[in-house]
Amino acid sequence: MERRTFLRGAVVGSSAAAFGGTLMRGAVYAAPAQPGTGPYGALLAPDSNGIALPAGFTSRVIARSGRTVAGTSYTWHSAPDGGACFADGTGWIYVSNSEVDPGGGASAVRFDFSGNVTGAYRILSGTRQNCAGGRTPWNSWLSCEEVSLGHVYETDPRGVNAAVRRAAMGRFKHEAAAADPVRKVVYLTEDETNGCFYRFVPATWGDLSAGTLQVLVAGTAASGSFTWANVPDPDGSPTATRSQVSGAKRFNGGEGCHYADDTVWFTTKGDNRVWRLDLAAGTYALAYDDSLVSGSAPLTGVDNITGTSSGDLYVAEDGGNMEICLITPADVVSPFLRVSGQSGSEITGPAFSPDGTRLYFSSQRGTSGSSSGGITYEVRGPFRS
């Protein structure tokens, strides 16, 4: 992917700040952000795992594709992609999709409260190209198929209950999902060059077996107001869901999606943008657009996105400089980490442990550039709370 400039709905001033830019909340772009320094300082030289991190942070390898996860008999899947963490009675669980077709699905690694791996296992099988997804407030993982007429599968991170296909959530080239417990809906991105942004309104919150699929309707401008319209045929055949509603807004390759505090952020890889929907106001705006950055853009390939309780956003790069970039509530953009020696890969599945002290992510194709070379990492350090 490529580059952009971040603004949470706002005016971008010309004052220097983070290694990527300062953006202020407000209204419209005034001037592109300038390079600066991030909240954790500069990245140090790569560690023994090839990860460049700020001072005070360390990394370790959790799993490698095609090899057994340490301390278990489970072989980690190929092409690890979207992921999330879930609290467990004895620690936490990290789930990860497998973006291969056929044979995608998802797996999980269980940790105790000290961070030791205590188990690994399969939670979804027999699906295709499971890319991203999202967690629900009732602690299930939504695994999304990034194929034409793909489905969303609801899975159990503990591996106890069988996964269930959620056909009511629509059939299209699914990417990510983000649950909004206030409006009791799930937002969905579509990975098409002329894709749409959707929300699923369950008939009963907490049960995704039935409900209404809606699409965002708005003008062609980069900001404005929006509404929602029902998709007449969520099955997407013979007419694709994105082609059923007049006025549905087009997005160039929907990717990651994150909800917090009456706001949903999502990324589009085709134009390297981050978008922000102000759900309370019913407005949308560009949040990051690297074409407006003067000089070197800090974020050069938007993909998966997650956030922390402090309000920081973490955006993983598909290609680019193989970085996870940090966007603070003060609208400062900077690289948080960089993976070296893996230019044929992409960073996927960023997710924080429930206590916020550990960040998990994968390099989908590792040093080999092949789906069989994926590596899943953990980073520890003084994350802001």
Side-chain angles (χ1 to χ4, degrees):
M1 306 307 127
E2 285 84 287
R3 322 176 176 247
R4 314 289 137 176
T5 278
F6 185 90
L7 91 298
R8 294 197 186 173
V11 171
V12 180
S14 60
S15 58
F19 189 101
T22 297
L23 331 190
M24 299 177 296
R25 304 184 187 192
V28 199
Y29 281 103
Q34 301 301 315
T37 305
Y40 293 115
L43 302 184
L44 304 179
D47 62 15
S48 60
N49 295 318
I51 312 296
L53 292 161
F57 291 86
T58 60
S59 75
R60 67 166 171 160
V61 173
I62 297 300
R64 295 178 183 269
S65 297
R67 302 188 192 180
T68 55
V69 178
T72 77
S73 59
Y74 183 74
T75 300
W76 197 236
H77 57 262
S78 294
D81 206 286
C85 281
F86 298 82
D88 186 48
T90 57
W92 62 88
I93 298 167
Y94 176 67
V95 301
S96 169
N97 282 343
S98 176
E99 195 187 10
V100 294
D101 183 9
S107 302
V109 180
R110 178 177 276 118
F111 301 86
D112 65 20
F113 284 121
S114 297
N116 301 307
V117 174
T118 60
Y121 45 89
R122 196 77 169 175
I123 61 172
L124 177 64
S125 299
T127 56
R128 301 182 299 155
Q129 205 159 319
N130 295 77
C131 198
R135 57 170 297 157
T136 69
W138 49 93
N139 292 319
S140 63
W141 167 244
L142 302 179
S143 183
C144 298
E145 289 184 311
E146 188 196 6
V147 295
S148 179
L149 297 179
H151 286 101
V152 175
Y153 290 83
E154 187 169 15
T155 69
D156 178 6
R158 300 168 301 158
V160 174
N161 299 311
V164 180
R165 186 173 67 190
R166 296 305 188 190
M169 300 184 78
R171 296 192 68 188
F172 52 88
K173 201 172 183 181
H174 282 279
E175 185 67 36
D180 176 352
V182 176
R183 289 151 200 86
K184 299 182 179 180
V185 302
V186 178
Y187 303 104
L188 301 160
T189 56
E190 180 178 27
D191 192 357
E192 299 276 7
T193 56
N194 63 340
C196 292
F197 187 78
Y198 304 87
R199 73 175 186 180
F200 178 67
V201 186
T204 301
W205 185 235
D207 180 356
L208 302 178
S209 62
T212 303
L213 182 68
Q214 298 181 325
V215 65
L216 186 141
V217 175
T220 59
S223 63
S225 60
F226 66 87
T227 57
W228 299 99
N230 292 350
V231 176
D233 180 16
D235 189 55
S237 179
T239 303
T241 55
R242 65 185 180 278
S243 301
Q244 295 181 24
V245 176
S246 176
K249 185 166 179 62
R250 305 298 173 179
F251 296 97
N252 191 350
E255 289 286 338
C257 191
H258 174 69
Y259 169 85
D261 300 327
D262 290 330
T263 305
V264 61
W265 289 271
F266 64 97
T267 64
T268 50
K269 68 181 180 184
D271 49 17
N272 274 319
R273 289 173 164 179
V274 180
W275 298 82
R276 174 184 183 269
L277 299 188
D278 183 330
L279 300 165
T283 59
Y284 71 94
L286 275 175
Y288 179 88
D289 183 344
D290 77 2
S291 68
L292 300 179
V293 174
S294 61
S296 262
L299 178 55
T300 57
V302 303
D303 204 306
N304 292 171
I305 184 171
T306 192
T308 68
S309 59
S310 67
D312 291 334
L313 299 175
Y314 287 75
V315 185
E317 291 187 338
D318 179 350
N321 297 323
M322 283 292 288
E323 293 176 344
I324 293 180
C325 286
L326 169 65
I327 303 169
T328 73
D331 298 317
V332 170
V333 187
S334 62
F336 170 71
L337 65 79
R338 182 182 303 121
V339 180
S340 63
Q342 301 184 34
S343 59
S345 187
E346 64 184 270
I347 295 179
T348 60
F352 282 87
S353 59
D355 64 2
T357 64
R358 302 166 193 252
L359 171 65
Y360 296 93
F361 70 94
S362 294
S363 170
Q364 189 179 79
R365 296 178 291 279
T367 58
S368 70
S370 166
S371 61
S372 61
I375 309 170
T376 299
Y377 300 93
E378 174 193 86
V379 169
R380 295 184 66 187
F383 288 105
R384 307 191 315 172
S385 59

Coordinates of all heavy atoms in Angstrom, one line a residue, residues 236-309:
G236 N -26.5 -11.0 -2.0 CA -25.6 -10.5 -3.0 C -25.6 -11.2 -4.3 O -24.7 -11.1 -5.1
S237 N -26.7 -12.0 -4.6 CA -26.8 -12.7 -5.9 C -28.2 -12.6 -6.4 O -29.1 -12.9 -5.6 CB -26.3 -14.1 -5.7 OG -26.4 -14.8 -6.9
P238 N -28.4 -12.2 -7.6 CA -27.4 -12.0 -8.7 C -26.8 -10.6 -8.7 O -25.8 -10.4 -9.4 CB -28.2 -12.2 -10.0 CG -29.6 -11.7 -9.6 CD -29.8 -12.2 -8.2
T239 N -27.3 -9.7 -7.9 CA -26.8 -8.3 -7.8 C -26.0 -8.1 -6.6 O -26.4 -8.4 -5.4 CB -27.9 -7.3 -7.8 OG1 -28.7 -7.5 -9.0 CG2 -27.4 -5.9 -7.8
A240 N -24.7 -7.7 -6.7 CA -23.8 -7.5 -5.6 C -24.4 -6.5 -4.6 O -25.1 -5.6 -5.0 CB -22.4 -7.0 -6.1
T241 N -24.2 -6.7 -3.3 CA -24.7 -5.8 -2.3 C -24.3 -4.4 -2.5 O -25.1 -3.5 -2.3 CB -24.2 -6.2 -0.9 OG1 -22.8 -6.3 -0.9 CG2 -24.8 -7.6 -0.5
R242 N -23.1 -4.1 -3.0 CA -22.7 -2.8 -3.2 C -23.4 -2.1 -4.4 O -23.2 -0.8 -4.6 CB -21.1 -2.7 -3.5 CG -20.7 -3.4 -4.7 CD -19.1 -3.4 -4.8 NE -18.6 -4.1 -6.0 CZ -18.5 -5.4 -6.1 NH1 -18.9 -6.2 -5.1 NH2 -18.0 -5.9 -7.2
S243 N -24.1 -2.8 -5.2 CA -24.8 -2.3 -6.4 C -26.3 -2.2 -6.2 O -27.0 -1.9 -7.2 CB -24.4 -3.1 -7.6 OG -23.0 -3.2 -7.8
Q244 N -26.8 -2.4 -5.0 CA -28.2 -2.5 -4.8 C -28.9 -1.2 -4.4 O -30.1 -1.0 -4.5 CB -28.6 -3.6 -3.8 CG -28.2 -5.0 -4.3 CD -28.6 -6.0 -3.3 OE1 -29.5 -5.8 -2.5 NE2 -28.0 -7.2 -3.4
V245 N -28.1 -0.2 -3.8 CA -28.7 1.0 -3.2 C -28.1 2.2 -4.0 O -26.9 2.4 -3.9 CB -28.4 1.1 -1.7 CG1 -28.9 2.4 -1.2 CG2 -29.0 -0.1 -1.0
S246 N -29.0 3.0 -4.6 CA -28.5 4.2 -5.2 C -28.0 5.2 -4.2 O -28.6 5.4 -3.1 CB -29.7 4.8 -6.0 OG -29.4 6.1 -6.5
G247 N -26.8 5.8 -4.5 CA -26.3 6.8 -3.6 C -25.3 6.2 -2.5 O -24.8 6.9 -1.7
A248 N -25.2 4.8 -2.5 CA -24.2 4.2 -1.6 C -22.8 4.8 -1.9 O -22.4 4.8 -3.0 CB -24.2 2.7 -1.8
K249 N -22.1 5.2 -0.8 CA -20.8 5.8 -1.0 C -19.8 4.8 -1.3 O -19.8 3.7 -0.6 CB -20.4 6.6 0.3 CG -19.1 7.4 0.0 CD -18.8 8.4 1.1 CE -17.5 9.1 0.8 NZ -17.5 9.8 -0.5
R250 N -18.9 5.0 -2.2 CA -17.8 4.1 -2.6 C -16.5 4.4 -1.9 O -16.1 5.5 -1.7 CB -17.6 4.2 -4.1 CG -18.8 4.1 -5.0 CD -19.4 2.7 -4.8 NE -20.7 2.6 -5.5 CZ -21.4 1.4 -5.5 NH1 -21.0 0.4 -4.9 NH2 -22.6 1.4 -6.1
F251 N -15.9 3.3 -1.5 CA -14.6 3.4 -0.8 C -13.6 2.4 -1.5 O -14.0 1.3 -1.9 CB -14.7 3.0 0.7 CG -15.6 4.0 1.4 CD1 -16.9 3.7 1.7 CD2 -15.0 5.1 1.9 CE1 -17.7 4.6 2.4 CE2 -15.8 6.0 2.6 CZ -17.1 5.8 2.9
N252 N -12.4 2.9 -1.7 CA -11.4 2.1 -2.5 C -10.6 1.1 -1.7 O -9.6 1.4 -1.2 CB -10.4 3.1 -3.1 CG -9.5 2.5 -4.2 OD1 -9.5 1.3 -4.3 ND2 -8.8 3.3 -4.9
G253 N -11.2 -0.1 -1.5 CA -10.6 -1.2 -0.8 C -10.6 -1.1 0.7 O -9.6 -0.8 1.3
G254 N -11.8 -1.3 1.2 CA -12.0 -1.2 2.7 C -11.2 -2.3 3.4 O -11.1 -3.4 3.0
E255 N -10.5 -1.9 4.5 CA -9.7 -2.8 5.3 C -10.1 -2.8 6.8 O -11.2 -3.2 7.1 CB -8.2 -2.3 5.1 CG -7.6 -2.7 3.7 CD -7.4 -4.1 3.5 OE1 -7.2 -4.9 4.5 OE2 -7.3 -4.5 2.3
G256 N -9.2 -2.3 7.6 CA -9.4 -2.4 9.1 C -10.5 -1.5 9.6 O -10.9 -0.5 8.9
C257 N -11.1 -1.8 10.7 CA -12.2 -1.1 11.3 C -12.1 -1.1 12.8 O -11.9 -2.2 13.4 CB -13.5 -1.7 10.8 SG -15.0 -0.7 11.1
H258 N -12.4 0.0 13.5 CA -12.3 0.1 14.9 C -13.3 1.1 15.4 O -13.4 2.2 14.9 CB -10.9 0.5 15.3 CG -10.7 0.8 16.8 ND1 -10.7 -0.2 17.7 CD2 -10.6 1.9 17.5 CE1 -10.6 0.3 18.9 NE2 -10.5 1.6 18.8
Y259 N -14.0 0.6 16.5 CA -15.0 1.5 17.1 C -14.6 1.9 18.5 O -14.1 1.1 19.3 CB -16.4 0.8 17.2 CG -17.3 1.5 18.1 CD1 -18.1 2.6 17.6 CD2 -17.4 1.3 19.5 CE1 -19.0 3.3 18.5 CE2 -18.3 2.0 20.3 CZ -19.0 3.0 19.8 OH -19.9 3.8 20.6
A260 N -14.8 3.2 18.9 CA -14.6 3.6 20.3 C -15.3 5.0 20.4 O -15.2 5.9 19.6 CB -13.1 3.7 20.6
D261 N -16.0 5.2 21.5 CA -16.5 6.5 21.9 C -17.3 7.2 20.8 O -17.0 8.3 20.4 CB -15.3 7.4 22.4 CG -14.6 6.8 23.6 OD1 -15.3 6.1 24.4 OD2 -13.4 7.0 23.7
D262 N -18.3 6.6 20.3 CA -19.2 7.2 19.3 C -18.5 7.5 18.0 O -19.0 8.3 17.2 CB -19.9 8.4 19.9 CG -20.9 8.2 20.9 OD1 -21.5 7.1 20.9 OD2 -21.1 9.0 21.8
T263 N -17.4 6.8 17.8 CA -16.6 7.0 16.6 C -16.2 5.7 16.0 O -15.9 4.8 16.7 CB -15.4 7.9 16.8 OG1 -15.7 9.1 17.5 CG2 -14.6 8.2 15.6
V264 N -16.3 5.6 14.7 CA -15.7 4.4 14.0 C -14.7 4.8 13.0 O -15.0 5.8 12.2 CB -16.8 3.5 13.4 CG1 -17.6 4.2 12.3 CG2 -16.2 2.2 12.8
W265 N -13.5 4.2 13.1 CA -12.4 4.5 12.1 C -12.3 3.3 11.2 O -12.4 2.2 11.6 CB -11.1 4.7 12.8 CG -11.0 6.0 13.6 CD1 -10.5 7.2 13.1 CD2 -11.3 6.2 15.0 NE1 -10.5 8.1 14.1 CE2 -11.0 7.6 15.3 CE3 -11.8 5.4 16.0 CZ2 -11.2 8.1 16.5 CZ3 -12.0 5.9 17.2 CH2 -11.7 7.3 17.5
F266 N -12.1 3.5 9.9 CA -11.8 2.4 9.0 C -10.8 2.9 8.0 O -10.7 4.1 7.7 CB -13.0 1.8 8.4 CG -13.8 2.7 7.5 CD1 -13.7 2.7 6.1 CD2 -14.8 3.6 8.0 CE1 -14.4 3.5 5.3 CE2 -15.5 4.4 7.2 CZ -15.3 4.4 5.8
T267 N -10.1 1.9 7.4 CA -9.0 2.2 6.4 C -9.4 1.8 5.0 O -10.1 0.8 4.9 CB -7.7 1.6 6.9 OG1 -7.8 0.2 6.8 CG2 -7.3 2.0 8.3
T268 N -8.8 2.5 4.0 CA -9.0 2.0 2.6 C -7.6 2.0 2.0 O -6.9 3.0 1.9 CB -9.9 3.0 1.9 OG1 -9.5 4.4 2.1 CG2 -11.4 2.9 2.3
K269 N -7.3 0.8 1.5 CA -5.9 0.5 1.0 C -5.7 1.1 -0.4 O -4.6 1.4 -0.7 CB -5.7 -1.0 1.0 CG -6.5 -1.8 0.0 CD -6.2 -3.3 0.1 CE -7.0 -4.0 -0.9 NZ -6.8 -5.5 -0.8
G270 N -6.8 1.2 -1.2 CA -6.6 1.6 -2.6 C -6.1 3.1 -2.7 O -5.4 3.4 -3.6
D271 N -6.4 3.9 -1.7 CA -6.0 5.3 -1.7 C -5.2 5.7 -0.4 O -5.0 6.8 -0.2 CB -7.2 6.2 -1.9 CG -8.3 5.9 -1.0 OD1 -8.1 5.2 0.0 OD2 -9.5 6.4 -1.3
N272 N -4.9 4.7 0.4 CA -4.2 4.9 1.7 C -4.8 6.0 2.5 O -4.1 7.0 2.8 CB -2.7 5.1 1.4 CG -1.9 3.9 1.2 OD1 -2.1 2.9 2.0 ND2 -1.1 3.8 0.3
R273 N -6.0 5.8 2.9 CA -6.7 6.7 3.8 C -7.2 6.1 5.0 O -7.5 4.9 5.0 CB -7.9 7.3 3.0 CG -7.5 8.3 1.9 CD -8.6 8.7 1.1 NE -8.3 9.9 0.3 CZ -9.2 10.5 -0.6 NH1 -10.4 10.0 -0.7 NH2 -8.9 11.6 -1.2
V274 N -7.4 6.8 6.1 CA -8.1 6.5 7.2 C -9.3 7.4 7.3 O -9.2 8.6 7.2 CB -7.3 6.6 8.5 CG1 -8.1 6.2 9.8 CG2 -6.0 5.8 8.5
W275 N -10.5 6.8 7.5 CA -11.8 7.5 7.5 C -12.3 7.5 9.0 O -12.1 6.6 9.7 CB -12.8 6.9 6.6 CG -12.4 6.9 5.2 CD1 -11.6 6.0 4.5 CD2 -12.8 7.9 4.2 NE1 -11.5 6.4 3.2 CE2 -12.2 7.5 3.0 CE3 -13.6 9.0 4.2 CZ2 -12.4 8.2 1.8 CZ3 -13.8 9.8 3.1 CH2 -13.2 9.4 1.9
R276 N -13.1 8.6 9.3 CA -13.6 8.7 10.6 C -15.1 9.1 10.5 O -15.5 10.0 9.8 CB -13.0 9.8 11.4 CG -13.6 10.2 12.7 CD -12.9 11.4 13.4 NE -13.4 11.7 14.7 CZ -14.4 12.5 14.9 NH1 -14.9 13.2 13.9 NH2 -14.8 12.8 16.2
L277 N -16.0 8.2 11.1 CA -17.4 8.5 11.2 C -17.7 9.0 12.6 O -17.5 8.3 13.6 CB -18.2 7.3 10.9 CG -18.1 6.6 9.5 CD1 -19.2 5.5 9.4 CD2 -18.2 7.6 8.4
D278 N -18.2 10.2 12.7 CA -18.7 10.7 14.0 C -20.2 10.3 14.0 O -21.1 10.8 13.4 CB -18.6 12.2 14.0 CG -19.1 12.8 15.3 OD1 -20.0 12.2 16.0 OD2 -18.6 13.9 15.7
L279 N -20.4 9.2 14.8 CA -21.7 8.6 14.8 C -22.8 9.4 15.5 O -24.0 9.4 15.2 CB -21.6 7.2 15.4 CG -20.7 6.3 14.7 CD1 -20.3 5.1 15.6 CD2 -21.3 5.8 13.4
A280 N -22.4 10.2 16.5 CA -23.3 11.1 17.2 C -23.8 12.2 16.3 O -25.0 12.6 16.3 CB -22.7 11.6 18.5
A281 N -22.9 12.8 15.5 CA -23.2 13.9 14.6 C -23.7 13.5 13.3 O -24.3 14.3 12.6 CB -22.0 14.8 14.4
G282 N -23.5 12.2 12.9 CA -23.9 11.7 11.6 C -23.1 12.3 10.5 O -23.6 12.5 9.4
T283 N -21.7 12.5 10.7 CA -20.9 13.1 9.7 C -19.6 12.2 9.5 O -19.3 11.4 10.4 CB -20.4 14.5 10.1 OG1 -19.7 14.4 11.4 CG2 -21.5 15.4 10.2
Y284 N -19.0 12.3 8.4 CA -17.8 11.5 8.1 C -16.7 12.5 7.6 O -17.1 13.6 7.1 CB -18.1 10.5 7.0 CG -18.3 11.0 5.6 CD1 -17.3 11.1 4.7 CD2 -19.6 11.4 5.2 CE1 -17.5 11.6 3.4 CE2 -19.8 11.9 4.0 CZ -18.8 12.0 3.1 OH -19.0 12.5 1.8
A285 N -15.5 12.1 7.7 CA -14.4 12.9 7.2 C -13.1 12.1 7.0 O -13.0 11.0 7.6 CB -14.1 14.1 8.2
L286 N -12.2 12.6 6.2 CA -10.9 11.9 6.1 C -10.2 12.1 7.5 O -10.2 13.2 8.1 CB -10.1 12.5 5.0 CG -10.3 12.0 3.6 CD1 -9.5 12.8 2.6 CD2 -9.9 10.5 3.6
A287 N -9.6 11.0 7.9 CA -8.8 11.1 9.1 C -7.3 11.1 8.8 O -6.5 11.6 9.6 CB -9.1 9.9 10.1
Y288 N -6.9 10.4 7.7 CA -5.5 10.4 7.3 C -5.5 10.2 5.8 O -6.2 9.4 5.2 CB -4.8 9.2 8.0 CG -3.3 9.1 7.6 CD1 -2.4 9.8 8.3 CD2 -2.9 8.3 6.5 CE1 -1.0 9.7 8.0 CE2 -1.6 8.2 6.2 CZ -0.6 8.9 6.9 OH 0.7 8.9 6.5
D289 N -4.6 11.1 5.2 CA -4.5 11.0 3.7 C -3.0 11.4 3.4 O -2.6 12.5 3.4 CB -5.5 12.0 3.0 CG -5.4 12.0 1.5 OD1 -4.5 11.4 1.0 OD2 -6.3 12.5 0.9
D290 N -2.3 10.3 3.0 CA -0.8 10.6 2.8 C -0.5 11.5 1.6 O 0.6 12.0 1.6 CB 0.0 9.3 2.8 CG -0.1 8.6 1.4 OD1 -0.7 9.1 0.5 OD2 0.5 7.5 1.3
S291 N -1.4 11.7 0.7 CA -1.1 12.6 -0.4 C -1.0 14.0 0.0 O -0.5 14.9 -0.7 CB -2.2 12.4 -1.5 OG -3.5 12.9 -1.0
L292 N -1.5 14.3 1.3 CA -1.4 15.7 1.8 C -0.3 15.9 2.7 O -0.1 17.0 3.3 CB -2.7 16.1 2.5 CG -4.0 16.0 1.6 CD1 -5.2 16.3 2.4 CD2 -3.9 16.9 0.4
V293 N 0.6 14.9 2.9 CA 1.8 15.0 3.7 C 2.9 15.7 2.9 O 3.2 15.2 1.8 CB 2.2 13.7 4.3 CG1 3.5 13.8 5.1 CG2 1.1 13.1 5.2
S294 N 3.5 16.7 3.5 CA 4.7 17.2 2.8 C 5.9 16.4 3.2 O 6.1 16.2 4.4 CB 4.9 18.7 3.2 OG 5.1 18.8 4.6
G295 N 6.7 16.0 2.2 CA 7.8 15.2 2.5 C 7.4 13.8 2.7 O 6.4 13.3 2.1
S296 N 8.2 13.0 3.5 CA 7.9 11.6 3.7 C 6.7 11.4 4.6 O 6.7 11.9 5.7 CB 9.1 10.9 4.3 OG 9.9 10.3 3.4
A297 N 5.8 10.6 4.1 CA 4.6 10.3 4.9 C 4.9 9.3 6.0 O 5.7 8.4 5.7 CB 3.5 9.8 4.1
P298 N 4.4 9.4 7.2 CA 4.7 8.5 8.3 C 4.0 7.1 8.1 O 4.5 6.1 8.7 CB 4.2 9.2 9.5 CG 3.1 10.0 9.0 CD 3.5 10.5 7.6
L299 N 2.9 7.1 7.4 CA 2.1 5.9 7.3 C 1.9 5.6 5.8 O 1.3 6.3 5.1 CB 0.8 6.1 8.0 CG -0.3 5.0 8.0 CD1 0.3 3.7 8.5 CD2 -1.5 5.4 8.7
T300 N 2.5 4.4 5.3 CA 2.6 4.2 3.9 C 1.9 3.0 3.4 O 2.3 2.5 2.3 CB 4.1 4.2 3.5 OG1 4.8 3.2 4.2 CG2 4.8 5.5 3.7
G301 N 1.0 2.5 4.1 CA 0.2 1.3 3.6 C -0.8 0.9 4.6 O -0.7 -0.1 5.3
V302 N -1.9 1.6 4.7 CA -2.9 1.4 5.7 C -3.6 0.0 5.6 O -3.8 -0.4 4.5 CB -4.0 2.5 5.8 CG1 -3.3 3.9 5.9 CG2 -4.8 2.5 4.5
D303 N -3.8 -0.6 6.7 CA -4.5 -1.9 6.7 C -5.2 -2.1 8.1 O -6.1 -1.3 8.4 CB -3.5 -3.0 6.5 CG -4.1 -4.3 5.9 OD1 -5.1 -4.8 6.5 OD2 -3.7 -4.8 4.9
N304 N -4.9 -3.1 8.8 CA -5.6 -3.4 10.1 C -5.4 -2.2 11.0 O -4.4 -1.5 11.0 CB -5.0 -4.6 10.8 CG -5.3 -5.9 10.0 OD1 -4.8 -7.0 10.4 ND2 -6.2 -5.9 9.0
I305 N -6.4 -2.0 11.9 CA -6.3 -0.9 12.8 C -6.9 -1.3 14.2 O -7.9 -2.1 14.2 CB -7.1 0.4 12.3 CG1 -7.0 1.6 13.2 CG2 -8.6 0.0 12.0 CD1 -7.6 2.9 12.6
T306 N -6.3 -0.9 15.3 CA -6.9 -1.2 16.6 C -6.6 0.1 17.5 O -6.0 1.0 17.0 CB -6.3 -2.4 17.2 OG1 -7.0 -2.8 18.4 CG2 -4.8 -2.2 17.6
G307 N -7.2 0.0 18.7 CA -7.0 1.2 19.6 C -6.8 0.7 21.0 O -6.9 -0.5 21.3
T308 N -6.5 1.7 21.9 CA -6.3 1.4 23.3 C -7.2 2.2 24.1 O -7.8 3.2 23.7 CB -4.8 1.7 23.7 OG1 -4.6 3.1 23.6 CG2 -3.8 1.0 22.8
S309 N -7.2 2.0 25.4 CA -8.1 2.7 26.3 C -7.6 4.2 26.5 O -8.4 5.0 26.9 CB -8.1 2.0 27.7 OG -6.8 2.0 28.2

